[in-house]
């Protein structure tokens, strides 16, 4: 068993994979669509964007492919961005991914059942190396190291990703920056993923505040 968790990108195929079992049939795909004829109301779109320990994109082409495909989705969207936490990653089989898939399916079903004009549910999973050591007990000692890394990731390329996704939201709605519309964006961070979100959003809000003074 290796001591250190891999520091690598897991989703290296940038083509879209449509499947009723994307977890097992699309393990390397950065763009996935869950479609199942037995539960069509739970259909969702899911994209993966991954960052290294320095907060930089592993491959900019991954982000471009994911966001371009997101922008091409027809109709109104409910966009949910999820940043995983400590001891997790974008590796296939990670239970944070499984939980996010479940949440996206639940949201899609709520839209289908409870809305006159249901929006398509689209998720973005932000991956970073939340786990650096795999050995039980010892990995508990990585708390401060991974906390520092989470802020570094948030202050890095995640800010650009959030801004780009918000631009897609505004383009879908045809609205100005501070106006709402049917296409909505929600950003969620779990555990140290919350630190990633905090750092990225803090930078965005600071930039917008400074811009408003000019």
């Amino acid at each position: 068993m290796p001591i250190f968790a891999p520091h690598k990108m897991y989703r290296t195929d940038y083509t879209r994979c449509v499947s009723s079992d994307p977890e097992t049939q699309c393990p390397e795909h950065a763009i996935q669509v869950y479609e199942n004829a037995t539960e069509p109301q739970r259909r969702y779109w899911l994209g993966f964007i991954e960052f290294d320990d320095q907060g930089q994109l592993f491959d900019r082409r991954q982000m471009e492919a994911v966001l371009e495909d997101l922008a091409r989705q027809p109709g109104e969207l409910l966009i949910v961005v999820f940043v995983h936490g400590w001891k997790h990653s974008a590796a296939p089989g990670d239970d944070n991914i499984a939980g996010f898939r479940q949440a996206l399916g639940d949201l899609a079903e709520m839209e289908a059942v409870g809305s006159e004009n249901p929006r398509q549910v689209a998720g973005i999973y932000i991956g970073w190396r939340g786990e650096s050591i795999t050995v039980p007990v010892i990995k508990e000692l990585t708390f401060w190291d991974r906390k520092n890394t989470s802020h570094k990731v948030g202050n890095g390329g995640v800010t650009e990703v959030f801004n780009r996704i918000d631009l897609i939201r505004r383009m879908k709605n045809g609205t100005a920056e501070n106006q709402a519309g049917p296409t909505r964006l929600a950003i969620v961070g779990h555990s140290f993923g919350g630190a990633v979100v905090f750092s990225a959003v803090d930078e965005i809000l600071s930039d917008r505040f400074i811009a408003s003074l000019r």
Side-chain angles (χ1 to χ4, degrees), residues 86-87 133 135 137-146:
W86 185 30
K87 305 178 190 175
I133 294 177
V135 180
V137 181
I138 295 178
K139 66 181 178 181
E140 306 300 325
L141 303 177
T142 65
F143 180 92
W144 292 109
D145 172 65
R146 292 299 91 191

Side-chain angles (χ1 to χ4, degrees), residues 3 45-46 49 52 54 71 74 96 98 113 121 139 172 206:
I3 296 176
W45 179 100
L46 173 60
I49 301 177
D52 64 21
Q54 304 307 311
N96 267 197
V113 173
V121 171
K139 66 181 178 181
K172 286 280 186 181
S206 296

Side-chain angles (χ1 to χ4, degrees), residues 118-166:
R119 295 165 292 188
Q120 178 182 177
V121 171
I124 299 283
Y125 186 95
I126 301 295
W128 59 286
R129 194 165 69 137
E131 179 175 69
S132 57
I133 294 177
T134 61
V135 180
V137 181
I138 295 178
K139 66 181 178 181
E140 306 300 325
L141 303 177
T142 65
F143 180 92
W144 292 109
D145 172 65
R146 292 299 91 191
K147 182 177 185 295
N148 291 336
T149 298
S150 69
H151 285 290
K152 189 179 296 183
V153 171
N155 287 322
V158 173
T159 300
E160 178 187 1
V161 172
F162 285 1
N163 275 321
R164 293 275 299 274
I165 296 172
D166 187 53

Side-chain angles (χ1 to χ4, degrees), residues 38-114:
T38 64
E39 49 178 17
Q41 74 280 7
R42 294 184 65 84
R43 182 187 188 277
Y44 62 80
W45 179 100
L46 173 60
F48 292 84
I49 301 177
E50 299 172 72
F51 293 84
D52 64 21
D53 275 357
Q54 304 307 311
Q56 302 304 310
L57 291 159
F58 268 112
D59 187 347
R60 191 171 188 83
R61 294 174 301 171
Q62 182 191 55
M63 178 191 70
E64 296 293 350
V66 168
L67 296 185
E68 286 173 9
D69 201 78
L70 174 65
R72 286 196 297 266
Q73 298 309 300
E76 298 162 355
L77 303 177
L78 176 56
I79 306 170
V80 183
V81 179
F82 178 77
V83 187
H84 68 76
W86 185 30
K87 305 178 190 175
H88 294 277
S89 70
D94 191 290
D95 59 13
N96 267 197
I97 299 175
F100 190 41
R101 291 187 189 279
Q102 180 66 39
L104 293 175
D106 290 347
L107 286 171
E109 188 167 10
M110 290 172 61
E111 282 287 312
V113 173

